[in-house]
Amino acid sequence: MTSFATKSATVEDIPLIISIQERTWEPTYRTILSKEQIDYMFEKIYSPESLQKQMEEQGHQFILLTDNDQYIGFASFSEAEPGTFKLHKIYVLPDRQGNGSGSFLISEVERYVKERGAQRLMLNVNRHNRAKGFYEKKGFKVVREEDIPIGPYWMNDYLLEKNYG
């Protein structure tokens, strides 16, 4: 039986976030991105220094997902402008997907941002990532395509958003 819960993450949780990410990124992106791009982006976004900067300087709120006291996922988000929040990251361990854990985690993010006055929640998803269908089932709509440079690589994404109210 699942028993999902979330808790706010702090800088002390960075090793845990990295551990979840290491087990999630490669299976998620191996058919979409080259190994070189995966490694580059991982170092750029998930180094301890980068995560600490996201938390302390960029205002990203991280929440950890547990199931029966085991850490199985996380999400991060921030207020982009008044009333508009951006979901930066949401990941659940591959062997823990498909049991409602992702739905629970995104509901927790939505609850959190709505409590803080969100009128809209936005996110980017790679145009070849099957998670796009998950977000659409949760009420997100594609707004546009975006090609975002990251070092020598490109992130070819959809921008999705969900409006509240």
Side-chain angles (χ1 to χ4, degrees), residues 111-152:
R111 182 183 61 75
Y112 186 95
V113 301
K114 284 192 238 177
E115 286 174 356
R116 281 146 189 82
Q119 298 299 310
R120 177 172 57 164
L121 180 61
M122 303 181 316
L123 63 90
N124 283 66
V125 65
N126 183 285
R127 291 198 288 264
H128 302 287
N129 189 334
R130 60 190 176 136
K132 176 181 171 271
F134 167 79
Y135 297 124
E136 289 173 327
K137 285 180 188 165
K138 298 295 168 198
F140 288 84
K141 306 266 187 261
V142 173
V143 176
R144 67 177 174 267
E145 292 184 3
E146 293 185 331
D147 295 310
I148 305 160
I150 181 161

Side-chain angles (χ1 to χ4, degrees), residues 8-161:
S8 291
T10 66
V11 239
E12 287 75 35
D13 295 308
I14 286 175
L16 176 59
I17 291 166
I18 291 170
S19 169
I20 292 169
Q21 199 57 28
E22 285 174 340
R23 293 178 283 160
T24 306
W25 253 48
E26 200 277 333
T28 301
Y29 293 110
R30 74 168 70 120
T31 61
I32 299 172
L33 306 174
S34 69
K35 176 163 179 14
E36 294 76 22
Q37 184 171 355
I38 291 170
D39 292 345
Y40 179 87
M41 290 175 66
F42 191 90
E43 181 57 34
K44 191 93 172 144
I45 301 168
Y46 290 100
S47 69
E49 299 77 21
S50 178
L51 289 169
Q52 185 169 349
K53 184 177 181 181
Q54 291 167 43
M55 289 178 176
E56 295 181 342
E57 296 173 29
Q58 297 172 350
H60 293 205
Q61 171 71 45
F62 282 73
I63 57 174
L64 297 166
L65 174 66
T66 61
D67 183 10
N68 295 314
D69 298 322
Q70 289 188 312
Y71 290 101
I72 64 167
F74 71 91
S76 80
F77 47 92
S78 66
E79 191 168 21
E81 58 188 59
T84 299
F85 283 74
K86 175 85 184 240
L87 177 62
H88 299 285
K89 304 167 185 55
I90 183 166
Y91 291 99
V92 173
L93 292 174
D95 65 342
R96 302 305 293 267
Q97 295 173 4
N99 65 353
S101 53
S103 293
F104 181 86
L105 185 54
I106 202 157
S107 293
E108 286 292 289
V109 169
E110 289 190 79
R111 182 183 61 75
Y112 186 95
V113 301
K114 284 192 238 177
E115 286 174 356
R116 281 146 189 82
Q119 298 299 310
R120 177 172 57 164
L121 180 61
M122 303 181 316
L123 63 90
N124 283 66
V125 65
N126 183 285
R127 291 198 288 264
H128 302 287
N129 189 334
R130 60 190 176 136
K132 176 181 171 271
F134 167 79
Y135 297 124
E136 289 173 327
K137 285 180 188 165
K138 298 295 168 198
F140 288 84
K141 306 266 187 261
V142 173
V143 176
R144 67 177 174 267
E145 292 184 3
E146 293 185 331
D147 295 310
I148 305 160
I150 181 161
Y153 303 102
W154 289 90
M155 294 191 302
N156 307 115
D157 289 354
Y158 288 117
L159 176 68
L160 288 84
E161 69 179 38

